[in-house]
Amino acid sequence: QDSRVATLQHGTNIKAYYGPDALVEAHKGAVDGDVITLSAGEFNASEISKAITIRGEGMDKTVITSSGSISFKIPGGTSYPLSLEGLTVRPTSDYAPSIKGTTGSETVLISKCRFYANYYSTELSISKCNAVIIQSIIDHGTYAIEAAQNANVTCINSILAGGLSYSSTGKYDLQNCFIEGKLDVAYSSIKNCIISEVCTVNETN
C-alpha cells in the first residue's frame, strides 16, 4: 500500500485515504472546520475550496503539487479559517499558487510553510481575505507576494525571496522578515525587517 496517507478528522470520526490523490479524496469528504493531516510525500491537488486545516509533517517533507495551478478558495459565510501548517505548495507548471476569499472577511493562517512557483512574476497571489503568514518561506518569484482586492497580509518571522507587489487596495504588515527583492507598497507597516533592494513606499510606517 502507498505510504502517502491523508487522514481526515471530523469531530471524533477519523478516516484515512492513501496514494497521490489522498488529499483530493479527503477534501471531497471534508466540511468546514475539519482537519486533514498529511504524511510525508507529494500529494496532488489543484483546488482547495473549504475552510479546513491541512497539516503536514514539515515543509521539507510534505508537498502539495499540481501539473496546473493550485488555488485555495475560502467560502463565504464560514467562521472557520483556512489553515496551512508544515508543508510546501509547489506547482510543477508555470502557474503560481493563489489564495482568495469570498467577501473579504475570511481568514487564512499559514505557519511553517513554503510556497514555490516556476518562472512566474508573482509567487503567491492573495486577494479578498486576511492572511497571517508565520515562520514561512515564499520564494522564486519577481514578487513574492501580491496583496490584491483589499487583502490584508501580515508576515512575521518569514523569508520573502522576491519583493512585494504594489496594490492600491492591499496592505502589508511586515515584522521581523527578510525581503530579498524590491518593495513597492502603500498604506502598510514595516518593523525590524531587512530589505535587500530599492524600496518604494507611500503612506507607510
Side-chain angles (χ1 to χ4, degrees):
Q1 192 159 35
D2 198 305
S3 61
R4 286 169 286 188
V5 183
T7 303
L8 171 61
Q9 181 174 350
H10 175 70
T12 58
N13 296 321
I14 297 175
K15 187 174 182 179
Y17 302 84
Y18 298 90
D21 294 323
L23 174 56
V24 174
E25 296 303 317
H27 178 265
K28 288 180 181 178
V31 298
D32 292 350
D34 285 355
V35 177
I36 296 176
T37 302
L38 303 177
S39 66
E42 291 194 358
F43 295 86
N44 299 324
S46 59
E47 181 179 278
I48 301 297
S49 58
K50 299 174 182 178
I52 57 178
T53 294
I54 303 178
R55 184 176 295 135
E57 289 193 3
M59 69 171 72
D60 58 339
K61 295 181 179 180
T62 303
V63 179
I64 297 176
T65 187
S66 170
S67 59
S69 61
I70 300 177
S71 63
F72 298 87
K73 299 179 180 179
I74 313 170
T78 179
S79 60
Y80 295 100
L82 168 66
S83 182
L84 307 175
E85 305 172 12
L87 48 83
T88 287
V89 177
R90 188 184 64 212
T92 58
S93 67
D94 291 347
Y95 292 96
S98 65
I99 299 173
K100 187 174 183 177
T102 302
T103 66
S105 62
E106 293 79 24
T107 299
V108 57
L109 306 175
I110 299 172
S111 176
K112 297 180 181 178
C113 290
R114 180 176 181 178
F115 283 78
Y116 183 93
N118 296 316
Y119 312 110
Y120 205 82
S121 58
T122 300
E123 167 53 34
L124 176 60
S125 175
I126 302 175
S127 58
K128 297 180 71 174
C129 67
N130 302 303
V132 179
I133 302 172
I134 301 173
Q135 294 180 355
S136 295
I137 300 172
I138 317 295
D139 71 29
H140 203 78
T142 303
Y143 290 105
I145 298 175
E146 177 187 25
Q149 296 181 291
N150 297 307
N152 294 307
V153 178
T154 298
C155 294
I156 302 172
N157 299 338
S158 294
I159 297 173
L160 311 179
L164 298 181
S165 176
Y166 174 77
S167 169
S168 60
T169 59
K171 299 178 182 178
Y172 300 96
D173 181 1
L174 310 176
Q175 303 174 36
N176 306 327
C177 291
F178 174 62
I179 299 97
E180 184 184 4
K182 297 179 180 180
L183 191 66
D184 186 2
V185 299
Y187 310 106
S188 299
S189 176
I190 305 168
K191 183 178 181 180
N192 297 335
C193 293
I194 298 172
I195 305 166
S196 71
E197 294 189 25
V198 175
C199 302
T200 302
V201 293
N202 298 295
E203 300 297 331
T204 291
N205 295 322

